[in-house]
Amino acid sequence: MRCFVLTISDTRTEATDTSGDIIVGLLVTAGHVLSGRTIVKDDPGAVRSGIASARISTQVIITTGGTGITSRDSTYEAIASMLDKRLDGFGELFRMLSFQEIGSAAMLSRACAGTIGKTAVFSLPGSEAAVRLAMTKLILPEIGHVVRELTR
């Protein structure tokens, strides 16, 4: 699958984007193609613009960052407003798996997923552990199935 990684952060740079690095590494190791990667500020307009630009060249967009509840976290609102169809089960399963690792703090995550046209979008927290969990337990096992369903 052609995948784009979008990091959403006011502080991360290419040198410090360890969660983005994990996503890229896991995708490439699993045989997927990286169609692009970028970092945008945690700003709704920047997030929507980044998603719109990424859709041109990819089948799957995976974002990291901005899914919490601080005053600057706006990723959920930006992405949710763009989705044609939501995959509610992704967020539910992610929080269930997170609960097993970090306890009740898992409820603070607003990780989500859905589709925009024929593009799948997965929005992950910024923590390395959360990214690794979502990628290994949810996204990588189903990415092919999701894309096949979107092309039917």
Side-chain angles (χ1 to χ4, degrees), residues 3 7 9 15 18 35-36 42 49 77-80 84 91 96 117 130 147-148:
C3 304
T7 298
S9 174
T18 54
S35 60
D42 197 342
S49 179
E77 287 78 13
I79 291 176
D84 296 325
M96 180 197 71
V147 170
R148 274 192 305 280

Side-chain angles (χ1 to χ4, degrees), residues 25-103:
L26 290 169
L27 287 169
V28 171
T29 298
H32 301 291
V33 176
L34 184 66
S35 60
R37 178 180 179 181
T38 194
I39 299 172
V40 299
K41 294 287 183 197
D42 197 342
D43 169 80
V47 172
R48 285 191 291 270
S49 179
I51 296 281
S53 295
R55 284 194 58 226
I56 297 167
S57 63
T58 197
Q59 298 166 292
V60 178
I61 299 169
I62 302 172
T63 74
T64 177
T67 63
I69 60 169
T70 72
S71 61
R72 288 292 302 152
D73 289 327
S74 60
T75 298
Y76 177 83
E77 287 78 13
I79 291 176
S81 72
M82 298 178 75
L83 296 177
D84 296 325
K85 295 182 180 180
R86 295 174 190 212
L87 299 174
D88 294 329
F90 173 80
E92 295 163 358
L93 286 169
F94 174 76
R95 283 180 285 281
M96 180 197 71
L97 292 168
S98 293
F99 178 79
Q100 294 170 0
E101 291 190 4
I102 64 170

Side-chain angles (χ1 to χ4, degrees), residues 3 5 19 22-28 32 62 90 94 122 124 129-143:
C3 304
V5 177
S19 293
I22 290 169
I23 296 169
V24 169
L26 290 169
L27 287 169
V28 171
H32 301 291
I62 302 172
F90 173 80
F94 174 76
F122 296 92
L124 311 181
V131 162
R132 192 173 302 282
L133 175 70
M135 291 296 295
T136 60
K137 298 288 187 183
L138 299 171
I139 297 173
L140 290 174
E142 285 300 316
I143 197 170

